[in-house]
Amino acid sequence: MNADASMKRPGGRSARVRAAVHSAAVELVGELGADQVTLPAVAERAGVNSSTLYRRWGTLAALLADVAQHRGDASAPPLVGDLRTDLENQAVWTLTELSRPGGIAFFRAEVAPDVDERREGLRECLRRVSERFQPVLDTARERGGTPPPPSLEQVLDRIVAPLYFRVVFSIPGTDEAYVRELVAGLIGEPSVEP
């Protein structure tokens, strides 16, 4: 088996290394903040050689983007088929991910000081967020109804962007009630308290 094939196996050493590196990165970002974390520090915490990290991820921003992507893959809420509920669930999940220890640090690391890395990080972040909300809108369109569901751009502008902005700047009142208000404002229905 060649080296490329062994790196792509879903299990085995490669998966263990990735899990150890991801765990170490999350711990260090939570403890120190992303601006104080280095690839060698992550490698030391994970118990692997730093050359492994440089070979696989290249930069800290790329590693943190990979961590952010895989954290989201595992825990995003399933769709229930109701536009309001699904938008609220995805938006609350987004807020929870950003607000947990180290959460916003992963976003900040993605928008690295290097212009090329920042563009790539922002594109990756937008791709992940879009993939989270697009199925909500597709499901609502398939079910029909009046009025039709909003566009992805409207969801990004009126739900996602305000959440990121308020978490980045630690604006009080950024909670589940605020999420419900954003969704209600977008789809034109009164907010319902749980």
Side-chain angles (χ1 to χ4, degrees), residues 71-119:
R71 281 169 52 144
D73 290 348
S75 60
L79 300 182
V80 298
D82 174 72
L83 178 62
R84 169 190 287 285
T85 302
D86 285 336
L87 283 174
E88 286 180 353
N89 287 346
Q90 297 301 323
V92 166
W93 182 86
T94 299
L95 175 61
T96 301
E97 282 296 297
L98 288 172
S99 301
R100 73 183 184 170
I104 200 65
F106 289 101
F107 171 70
R108 286 184 175 136
E110 286 182 295
V111 290
D114 177 87
V115 173
D116 292 332
E117 286 182 8
R118 179 175 43 242
R119 285 186 188 127

Side-chain angles (χ1 to χ4, degrees), residues 21-193:
V21 169
H22 279 204
S23 178
V26 169
E27 290 170 7
L28 286 168
V29 167
E31 292 169 16
L32 306 173
D35 58 332
Q36 298 298 312
V37 176
T38 64
L39 285 179
V42 173
E44 182 178 338
R45 176 74 61 100
V48 299
N49 192 308
S50 59
S51 64
T52 301
L53 276 67
Y54 284 106
R55 184 174 56 252
R56 187 160 185 179
W57 290 282
T59 65
L60 181 64
L63 169 60
L64 296 182
D66 189 46
V67 171
Q69 178 180 358
H70 287 88
R71 281 169 52 144
D73 290 348
S75 60
L79 300 182
V80 298
D82 174 72
L83 178 62
R84 169 190 287 285
T85 302
D86 285 336
L87 283 174
E88 286 180 353
N89 287 346
Q90 297 301 323
V92 166
W93 182 86
T94 299
L95 175 61
T96 301
E97 282 296 297
L98 288 172
S99 301
R100 73 183 184 170
I104 200 65
F106 289 101
F107 171 70
R108 286 184 175 136
E110 286 182 295
V111 290
D114 177 87
V115 173
D116 292 332
E117 286 182 8
R118 179 175 43 242
R119 285 186 188 127
E120 183 59 35
L122 287 169
R123 279 192 293 268
E124 179 60 23
C125 181
L126 179 60
R127 183 195 63 74
R128 280 196 320 273
V129 170
S130 298
E131 286 180 355
R132 188 173 313 131
F133 284 91
Q134 188 63 58
V136 171
L137 304 174
D138 292 344
T139 299
R141 275 191 198 85
E142 289 167 8
R143 296 183 75 206
T146 306
S151 69
L152 178 61
E153 184 175 353
Q154 289 172 313
V155 170
L156 295 174
D157 287 347
R158 298 193 43 203
I159 295 175
V160 177
L163 289 177
Y164 272 79
F165 177 84
R166 291 176 68 101
V167 172
V168 165
F169 292 103
S170 302
I171 297 174
T174 307
D175 55 16
E176 288 188 34
Y178 177 70
V179 167
R180 285 191 295 279
E181 289 173 18
L182 290 175
V183 172
L186 177 60
I187 62 176
E189 297 177 12
S191 178
V192 178
E193 292 294 319

